Amino acid sequence: MSEQLARSTPPVVPQHTPAPVEDKAISPWKDAWRSFKKNKIALVGLSIVSFFILIAIFADLLAPYNYRDVNLSDKHISPSAEHWFGTDEFGRDILSRVIHGARISLWVGFFSVAGSVIVGSLLGIVAGYYGKWVDGIISRIFDILLAFPSILLAIAVVSVLGPSLKNALIAIAIINVPTFGRLLRSRVLSVKEEEYITAARAIGMSDTRILVHHILPNSLAPIIVQGTLAIATAIIEAAALGFLGMGAQPPTPEWGKMLADSKDFIIQAPWTVLFPGLAIMLTVLGFNLMGDGLRDALDPRMKS
């Protein structure tokens, strides 16, 4: 009887649970971040930029002294335990002024580039999408602005508006508009010929929706890369205007102005020039390294 039951009962086949299939659909931005994290040099740049951003945010807490405090009896004190970066010709603590200078330089860099991106992108998108006489007028404006050396154009703008940090920011924004405008124009010229743009036109989508929902999102990668590199350039240009006395005015602790005020004491008190110069160099280096890493991560041609 047991033999008959054994024969009639089908053998039990072990059920194997299928292995979970990994979702290979990765967001382009997540893929770019993974590529960015693999670039050690780019991470160094990100660390430097993050360091200076934190210094700028917490400048009031980190500065050991008030950057405005003047003490002529302590002028040109070399770096010591009391004044880590020494003091300047007015006895002001250089470390405190460099810390607060980070806030000013980054503020000028970010907001001037933001203005350039907004205006330049708008003009570039309109020129590339509509073409014809619109493209001709806007392109000629870009050509005129690019015909002048950037620093001379910035000096001319500040001369008209008057020397101040705000006007220096405006001047830096103006001279960088053609860079973003031409970048977006060339990008739009290639994107607007894609099939999905033709399909969007065929279903009656308005030009505004096409520009906002299709063309602009597909043009963000080069804007991000160029914007990061442009911040470094803007910091240098702000320092140059400050050095010439056309940017931040005393007692604002702008790095370029600090260099200008200390140039006569470079032999007597070299630390007054050394530390503001190092701050400019490190900040610009950080943005350049990070920009190169973003370019490698966002450009498909740079990936194997």
Side-chain angles (χ1 to χ4, degrees):
M1 188 69 177
S2 61
E3 294 179 358
Q4 293 178 353
L5 289 173
R7 292 175 182 176
S8 62
T9 303
V12 178
V13 180
Q15 299 293 327
H16 296 283
T17 304
V21 179
E22 184 179 357
D23 186 10
K24 295 184 178 180
I26 302 175
S27 168
W29 296 106
K30 289 183 178 180
D31 183 47
W33 172 241
R34 290 182 180 181
S35 300
F36 184 85
K37 289 192 296 184
K38 296 178 181 178
N39 190 330
K40 304 300 182 183
I41 301 299
L43 291 179
V44 172
L46 178 61
S47 300
I48 296 174
V49 171
S50 301
F51 173 75
F52 278 98
I53 289 176
L54 291 175
I55 286 179
I57 293 174
F58 300 105
D60 294 329
L61 299 176
L62 295 175
Y65 299 93
N66 189 324
Y67 70 87
R68 296 174 179 265
D69 288 347
V70 175
N71 189 352
L72 295 178
S73 62
D74 291 338
K75 67 178 182 179
H76 288 161
I77 293 179
S78 60
S80 61
E82 184 178 1
H83 299 281
W84 289 5
F85 286 5
T87 61
D88 61 10
E89 68 275 17
F90 294 106
R92 296 174 298 193
D93 183 67
I94 294 178
L95 174 59
S96 301
R97 293 180 63 78
V98 169
I99 289 175
H100 282 277
R103 176 179 293 178
I104 294 170
S105 294
L106 291 177
W107 179 78
V108 172
F110 281 117
F111 282 94
S112 64
V113 170
S116 301
V117 169
I118 293 172
V119 177
S121 298
L122 178 62
L123 293 175
I125 288 177
V126 171
Y129 187 78
Y130 291 103
K132 299 180 180 179
W133 64 270
V134 176
D135 184 20
I137 293 176
I138 295 176
S139 295
R140 297 297 79 75
I141 294 174
F142 292 160
D143 292 339
I144 292 173
L145 292 176
L146 290 172
F148 296 92
S150 59
I151 189 62
L152 293 182
L153 181 59
I155 292 173
V157 173
V158 174
S159 299
V160 173
L161 300 177
S164 70
L165 187 62
K166 179 182 177 181
N167 292 338
L169 186 152
I170 295 173
I172 295 170
I174 291 174
I175 64 178
N176 286 318
V177 164
T179 302
F180 291 97
R182 298 184 74 176
L183 176 66
L184 263 295
R185 175 183 175 276
S186 62
R187 182 66 179 172
V188 171
L189 287 175
S190 61
V191 171
K192 75 175 185 178
E193 303 299 331
E194 299 289 340
E195 294 181 358
Y196 62 88
I197 301 297
T198 305
R201 292 197 189 100
I203 64 176
M205 185 176 290
S206 65
D207 290 343
T208 303
R209 292 192 63 188
I210 291 175
L211 291 172
V212 173
H213 294 283
H214 293 293
I215 292 181
L216 185 59
N218 286 283
S219 304
L220 285 179
I223 294 177
I224 293 173
V225 175
Q226 184 60 41
T228 305
L229 297 172
I231 292 175
T233 304
I235 291 174
I236 294 177
E237 290 166 346
L241 290 174
F243 186 85
L244 296 174
M246 308 191 73
Q249 301 299 307
T252 305
E254 196 272 328
W255 291 336
K257 182 60 178 173
M258 292 175 65
L259 291 176
D261 294 339
S262 304
K263 66 180 185 299
D264 295 331
F265 309 103
I266 192 171
I267 302 299
Q268 177 184 354
W271 56 86
T272 59
V273 177
L274 174 63
F275 293 110
L278 281 177
I280 296 173
M281 185 271 291
L282 288 174
T283 307
V284 172
L285 176 64
F287 278 106
N288 284 336
L289 294 179
M290 190 171 70
D292 290 341
L294 288 173
R295 180 199 59 200
D296 296 343
L298 295 173
D299 191 349
R301 294 171 298 181
M302 303 297 294
K303 300 178 182 178
S304 57

